[in-house]
Amino acid sequence: MNKVSVAVLGATGSVGQRFIQLLENHPYFQVTHLCASENSAGKKYGDVMRKRWKISSDIPAYARDIIVTTPDPSRTPGVKLAFSGLDASVAGEVETAFANAGIHIISNSKNHRMAENVPLLSAEVNPDHLSVLSFQKTPGKILTNSNCTIMGVTISLKPLFEQFGIEAVMLFSMQAVSGAGYPGVPSMDILGNVVPFIGGEEEKAEIEPLKCLGKVVDGRIVHADFPISAHCNRVPVFDGHTVCVSVKLKKKATEQEIRKAWTSFRGLPQELELPLAPPAPIVYREEEDRPQPRLDLDTGKSMATVIGRLRPDPLFDWKYVVLSHNTVRGAAGAAVLNAELMVRKNLL
Amino acid sequence: MNKVSVAVLGATGSVGQRFIQLLENHPYFQVTHLCASENSAGKKYGDVMRKRWKISSDIPAYARDIIVTTPDPSRTPGVKLAFSGLDASVAGEVETAFANAGIHIISNSKNHRMAENVPLLSAEVNPDHLSVLSFQKTPGKILTNSNCTIMGVTISLKPLFEQFGIEAVMLFSMQAVSGAGYPGVPSMDILGNVVPFIGGEEEKAEIEPLKCLGKVVDGRIVHADFPISAHCNRVPVFDGHTVCVSVKLKKKATEQEIRKAWTSFRGLPQELELPLAPPAPIVYREEEDRPQPRLDLDTGKSMATVIGRLRPDPLFDWKYVVLSHNTVRGAAGAAVLNAELMVRKNLL
Amino acid sequence: MNKVSVAVLGATGSVGQRFIQLLENHPYFQVTHLCASENSAGKKYGDVMRKRWKISSDIPAYARDIIVTTPDPSRTPGVKLAFSGLDASVAGEVETAFANAGIHIISNSKNHRMAENVPLLSAEVNPDHLSVLSFQKTPGKILTNSNCTIMGVTISLKPLFEQFGIEAVMLFSMQAVSGAGYPGVPSMDILGNVVPFIGGEEEKAEIEPLKCLGKVVDGRIVHADFPISAHCNRVPVFDGHTVCVSVKLKKKATEQEIRKAWTSFRGLPQELELPLAPPAPIVYREEEDRPQPRLDLDTGKSMATVIGRLRPDPLFDWKYVVLSHNTVRGAAGAAVLNAELMVRKNLL
Amino acid sequence: MNKVSVAVLGATGSVGQRFIQLLENHPYFQVTHLCASENSAGKKYGDVMRKRWKISSDIPAYARDIIVTTPDPSRTPGVKLAFSGLDASVAGEVETAFANAGIHIISNSKNHRMAENVPLLSAEVNPDHLSVLSFQKTPGKILTNSNCTIMGVTISLKPLFEQFGIEAVMLFSMQAVSGAGYPGVPSMDILGNVVPFIGGEEEKAEIEPLKCLGKVVDGRIVHADFPISAHCNRVPVFDGHTVCVSVKLKKKATEQEIRKAWTSFRGLPQELELPLAPPAPIVYREEEDRPQPRLDLDTGKSMATVIGRLRPDPLFDWKYVVLSHNTVRGAAGAAVLNAELMVRKNLL
């Protein structure tokens, strides 16, 4: 199989770095172009990143000598697909320009997420939403993944939604600093502290799961219909968003039924054995004090969603804790998995 | 006024240290006895604590030369009242022994909290519960204060409960490590991590506010009647429990009405100008990202409850964030305030 | 006594905030002007700082309504003295402009520190250096204090230098994040990590103590003459720089002699009972594991230098640990103390 | 090749857990016995460790069903070699008992480290010291590895010692909490704090490198002869000891010569391509702010020593920073590498 030539947009940022790491030796994709702002353009990626690479392993060798270009489709000849980790301030315009130029976009940015014919794709949750891509008018199609906090929550809700129906969800997040990018959260704000506010986060948390769990009707995505209330907090954790969830179901379910719904859950990525798919999308921990970022973040090469502490809720029906890796499963990894799905569904 | 001679039980522990700090130069009380386990008995408190004093200021001079005794009422002659910061494993028996010997107990331990004629007192919230003390059969009376997490939450609920009625509460805590005492939480468990479980904490959080907000009927405390659901978490913060609250009211209220209910709230401690009473029991912060432990923990000499982020809740009516100092307002400070109230109500 | 009208330059920064806190109700000084960049000019300080005030207590009431101006001497009528917490990128020029306009400068910035007729003043260490002020040609005089890391180290060296002479010093710092200002160190760089590099810090640490310990000869400061080697590191601590020191003395001294040299040390600030002077400039802790930022930072209202762990050094003569509060004793507090000394020496 | 049957002593502790992780699928060794205290004996390792396994990955499947036994050679039939992560309070006696029973001991404990015919082995540094094993009188031989802090430092010194000679070393450590085992350091002591004291650590740091760098003379190890001064500190880092080093050489060397000495350094483990040997024992980072635990701890599967910041020292000749993984390279990994060397040298 010939590898697909791809670009990474926003290659110097936190999500961009993860893309570059996850795409090393990828069986489907070959990164040929790295795009970033004018400050970096014209220089070798390895030189630009000497002091900015923040992942605990070296810059992959393949990326070091690529000359960075600005994110302009005329500068990425041969590229069929671009992974975007662009900042929201520029993502909208740049991604549209690539789509107009016939280059598909797999975006981690929020700009196009809520458009009715742009899938907010979580590969195990709503692969059927890919059908709306054909309703986009640009020659290149735009595919997005959801907010990093919401990714794991939505995966945890999917089997419950399918089997029991959901009436209401309340969620409370404790989010890692890497979710804010680099330099992001100043250390003076978060060392030994918690900040009970993250701009725009609760709004996303209260709507994105509804789109992911929605249905395609006449080429448009119609949202699921239940209320969500979110409390979002920043805590002094490096990677890994932990979320406490209370859920009210439409149909009563026992603890055993819910746990079985989770542990038996498999999606299209598992069926197709996509390269980045974890063997099980959901791993349930039996211990009373799990999941924890320190201990559970590597599960399924950081692509699994880890759940624990299922117990009755005096107000709603059940409560539990869900953890997922915010920059892998919640961002770059989810986007690459989505791209893998596009390849296997012959959508490139 | 002659000062009341008091003892501190569990004087070497975290709460005991706070008692000793807060009782320095107290206008009502004179600490004459410090009680701890056999290991410490017979030695000067200052020597025992050389490496165990964990508060950022020196051991008060008055305490250094007191010879530690075991917690036995026969060893505390002249003492009328004992502050207990004993571990739950011994608190029940020891506190009962003191009460039998005619020494009043102000306890921070959980053992007697739920007895129907033992007040779970938060001085601003339910001073009327002191009336049940006379129904206790021992010559010394036992008075308790609530769990550290619940203290601030209950204060925040009190004006809402009075003015609008409460139908349901969901709460999510991010609790400091000092709440687990010393040595308490191992650093390997919490550095850069969160632990979504604290043994026994959710059970307390779901019942104690109901007792505090209850009514005295025929010498017994009858609980308030609304459901509470709690998710309790440990975070890498030294002092200060932050709690996200969603509340459903019986009677609709506007944002302005709720904020006014909080900021105008005053209790008996304020009226009586008790030494440890903060000028305002509740302080509301206008900033979008407050309260935070780093910035708000000193408010009202750490005796105030700080609230922020009042906003509509898509599921319940309102959501907000509440912070209180877990070892001051949530433990030793609350107990001293309760004792001050007993003095002024002539209950000693 | 009429209070001296003063301005704070760089009033919105970390050091500026400390100046404003420490100057509240100061017996000698009245802050009448707050200067900051154009972005803040024309607005009330309280409004500008709503989300930027990072000290754990509210903005002092006196400062909230002051209208911020740009740091231009024509905009600070009546001001006799300006405290500068300006960034080094602008401090040189601005401070010179104020001095030319006849306004004295007490600066925490590095720009003028090494000029031979500008004292690098630590009020207990080298008050005699004030004599070089008269050799400055501007009508306003410039007085600086040393780098935050070096402050405590130099105080610890002063009695040893006087009594035993110093041949060599090796020091190793573990510095708090507040030393880098705000936003300063990104949390992704320092959470659960150490960074063994702080730009320009080792260079300052290797020369500034020599100037502080130097002599005035013909109106110029002649440096002390011994080699210093410094290793500077950033650690995840909020406030408080801890420094390990190995020192080689000229004249042999016993442990008891050294400890006595420290504990009996008093300077001019103590003699004059300056408002911000700690009762003892140096406090020695007997415990084997002290000083620690958590436990010792408040000593002497954060103006004392805390030393511990004096023990023989297999290579040099002695080793010990020294802690001082980097934004109080190491910056704003030192500057205010220096200004107090100027007042009492009739240098204003 | 038939695998050697091995036991892990102290299997429930921090170092024991690392042994179990590193020995999974090991080409030379098969873990057949896990030994721990009476509390754990008779139970399956997986059950004992449900809440005590602290490494970020699951307990290896092979270990879960092994029934834990007490550390008694009569209970480990067939075992030829035992890896010891025992606490120093029991290690001396137990290890001797195993050696008497003809079972070789690879120990991470300090008890036998300083005996003159017990090698303190760092496989790349002093493999020739294995020759003293034959001078031990027990049928089983005891082999130790050095203290976790010292391991990386000694590796960094080895090429300098060989090529230029060493006159003096001063070192300052910033040590991770995992070095104290579990529960180890209480979070209240280290969150946002540094503790400038670790019991017994400086003593080990000042002598162990001298033994490692020593020579075998008549079956005894004669120490290298230069003074070392150590300042040891605990910092809020999970894994990874960072050490600042100043070194005085006997023969002058240029920066280039020193860097070449490090980067060209290879030892017997590299030559023999031992399973756990890193390709290069020393990796030098060019960036001005490296090494850092966050970014460099995985280097060479955590078996490499990472050095950076080589620069002239105003007092000695050179200073630099060295990082190694304290529980892998500094403990269990070093011990396994030593055992691999014994196998290949036919010493089992």
Side-chain angles (χ1 to χ4, degrees), chain B residues 21-96:
Chain B
Q21 182 197 37
L22 293 171
L23 291 168
E24 186 178 16
N25 300 320
H26 195 281
Y28 300 174
F29 306 114
Q30 178 72 41
V31 178
T32 56
H33 292 79
L34 296 174
C35 304
S37 71
E38 298 233 346
N39 293 332
S40 306
K43 299 172 194 155
K44 284 188 185 176
Y45 187 73
D47 294 340
V48 168
M49 300 304 289
R50 248 176 82 94
K51 292 186 61 178
R52 293 164 69 187
W53 184 262
K54 294 291 166 190
I55 296 178
S56 176
S57 61
D58 268 316
I59 303 176
Y62 83 85
R64 275 184 225 153
D65 291 335
I66 295 181
I67 305 293
V68 176
T69 60
T70 52
D72 173 343
S74 72
R75 294 178 182 279
T76 61
V79 162
K80 284 183 82 170
L81 182 148
F83 291 96
S84 167
L86 289 167
D87 188 79
S89 61
V90 297
E93 220 169 306
V94 170
E95 292 175 5
T96 301

Side-chain angles (χ1 to χ4, degrees), chain A residues 42-193:
Chain A
K43 300 172 195 156
K44 284 188 184 176
Y45 186 74
D47 295 339
V48 168
M49 299 305 288
R50 245 176 85 92
K51 292 186 60 178
R52 294 165 67 186
W53 183 261
K54 295 289 166 190
I55 295 178
S56 175
S57 61
D58 267 318
I59 303 175
Y62 83 85
R64 274 184 224 154
D65 292 335
I66 296 181
I67 305 293
V68 177
T69 60
T70 50
D72 173 344
S74 72
R75 292 178 183 279
T76 62
V79 162
K80 285 184 79 168
L81 182 148
F83 290 96
S84 166
L86 289 166
D87 188 78
S89 62
V90 297
E93 219 169 308
V94 171
E95 292 175 7
T96 301
F98 272 75
N100 283 332
I103 298 170
H104 301 301
I105 286 284
I106 307 280
S107 174
N108 188 60
S109 298
K110 69 177 182 185
N111 307 57
H112 296 102
R113 275 186 200 159
M114 299 314 293
E116 66 182 14
N117 55 18
V118 172
L120 189 62
L121 197 74
S122 184
E124 283 94 346
V125 171
N126 56 341
D128 55 306
H129 290 198
L130 285 171
S131 67
V132 305
L133 287 180
S134 61
F135 291 83
Q136 292 181 16
K137 289 171 187 161
T138 49
K141 305 306 178 188
I142 297 179
L143 185 57
T144 65
N145 51 269
S146 73
N147 170 277
C148 53
T149 310
I150 277 324
M151 186 67 69
V153 172
T154 305
I155 290 172
S156 79
L157 293 177
K158 169 73 175 178
L160 309 186
F161 184 72
E162 290 290 306
Q163 297 184 33
F164 315 111
I166 292 178
E167 274 201 14
V169 168
M170 193 170 293
L171 64 91
F172 158 83
S173 73
M174 295 179 286
Q175 302 184 217
V177 297
S178 66
Y182 186 85
V185 183
S187 54
M188 285 179 73
D189 282 344
I190 201 68
L191 262 180
N193 200 23

Side-chain angles (χ1 to χ4, degrees), chain B residues 227-241:
Chain B
I228 301 176
S229 173
H231 300 249
C232 292
N233 303 279
R234 188 75 69 194
V235 294
V237 165
F238 191 84
D239 276 330
H241 289 353

Side-chain angles (χ1 to χ4, degrees), chain D residues 142-208:
Chain D
I142 297 179
L143 186 58
T144 65
N145 52 269
S146 73
N147 170 276
C148 54
T149 310
I150 276 323
M151 186 67 68
V153 173
T154 305
I155 291 173
S156 78
L157 294 176
K158 170 72 175 179
L160 309 187
F161 184 72
E162 291 290 306
Q163 297 185 33
F164 314 111
I166 292 178
E167 276 201 12
V169 169
M170 193 169 293
L171 63 91
F172 307 89
S173 72
M174 295 179 285
Q175 302 184 216
V177 296
S178 65
Y182 186 85
V185 184
S187 54
M188 285 178 72
D189 283 344
I190 201 68
L191 263 180
N193 200 24
V194 301
V195 180
F197 174 73
I198 301 174
E201 197 77 0
E202 294 175 350
E203 292 77 359
K204 290 179 216 160
E206 292 177 354
I207 189 153
E208 293 191 3

Side-chain angles (χ1 to χ4, degrees), chain B residues 14-285:
Chain B
S14 295
V15 175
Q17 293 178 36
R18 279 282 177 206
F19 276 131
I20 287 164
Q21 182 197 37
L22 293 171
L23 291 168
E24 186 178 16
N25 300 320
H26 195 281
Y28 300 174
F29 306 114
Q30 178 72 41
V31 178
T32 56
H33 292 79
L34 296 174
C35 304
S37 71
E38 298 233 346
N39 293 332
S40 306
K43 299 172 194 155
K44 284 188 185 176
Y45 187 73
D47 294 340
V48 168
M49 300 304 289
R50 248 176 82 94
K51 292 186 61 178
R52 293 164 69 187
W53 184 262
K54 294 291 166 190
I55 296 178
S56 176
S57 61
D58 268 316
I59 303 176
Y62 83 85
R64 275 184 225 153
D65 291 335
I66 295 181
I67 305 293
V68 176
T69 60
T70 52
D72 173 343
S74 72
R75 294 178 182 279
T76 61
V79 162
K80 284 183 82 170
L81 182 148
F83 291 96
S84 167
L86 289 167
D87 188 79
S89 61
V90 297
E93 220 169 306
V94 170
E95 292 175 5
T96 301
F98 272 75
N100 282 330
I103 298 170
H104 300 302
I105 287 285
I106 306 280
S107 174
N108 188 60
S109 298
K110 69 176 181 186
N111 306 59
H112 295 103
R113 272 185 202 160
M114 299 313 293
E116 65 183 12
N117 56 18
V118 172
L120 188 62
L121 197 73
S122 185
E124 283 93 347
V125 172
N126 55 339
D128 55 307
H129 290 198
L130 284 172
S131 67
V132 304
L133 287 181
S134 60
F135 291 84
Q136 293 182 15
K137 289 170 189 161
T138 49
K141 305 306 178 190
I142 298 179
L143 185 58
T144 65
N145 52 268
S146 73
N147 170 276
C148 55
T149 310
I150 276 323
M151 186 66 69
V153 173
T154 305
I155 291 172
S156 79
L157 293 177
K158 169 72 176 179
L160 309 186
F161 184 71
E162 290 291 305
Q163 297 185 32
F164 315 112
I166 292 178
E167 275 201 11
V169 168
M170 193 169 291
L171 63 91
F172 308 89
S173 73
M174 295 179 285
Q175 302 183 216
V177 296
S178 65
Y182 186 85
V185 183
S187 55
M188 285 178 72
D189 283 344
I190 200 68
L191 264 181
N193 199 22
V194 299
V195 179
F197 175 73
I198 301 173
E201 197 76 359
E202 294 176 350
E203 292 77 359
K204 290 180 215 159
E206 292 176 355
I207 188 152
E208 293 192 3
L210 302 177
K211 182 171 181 184
C212 287
L213 295 171
K215 278 184 199 166
V216 177
V217 178
D218 299 333
R220 297 179 312 151
I221 297 159
V222 178
H223 291 203
D225 184 25
F226 57 84
I228 301 176
S229 173
H231 300 249
C232 292
N233 303 279
R234 188 75 69 194
V235 294
V237 165
F238 191 84
D239 276 330
H241 289 353
T242 308
V243 186
C244 296
V245 180
S246 280
V247 63
K248 192 169 187 176
L249 301 175
K250 285 203 167 144
K251 195 180 131 192
K252 291 300 157 204
T254 65
E255 183 177 340
Q256 222 38 50
E257 286 168 335
I258 292 175
R259 286 173 56 166
K260 194 179 162 203
W262 281 331
T263 54
S264 65
F265 177 58
R266 293 294 179 278
L268 203 47
Q270 283 71 39
E271 194 181 305
L272 298 174
E273 294 185 344
L274 296 181
L276 227 62
I282 294 174
V283 171
Y284 189 87
R285 302 285 327 183

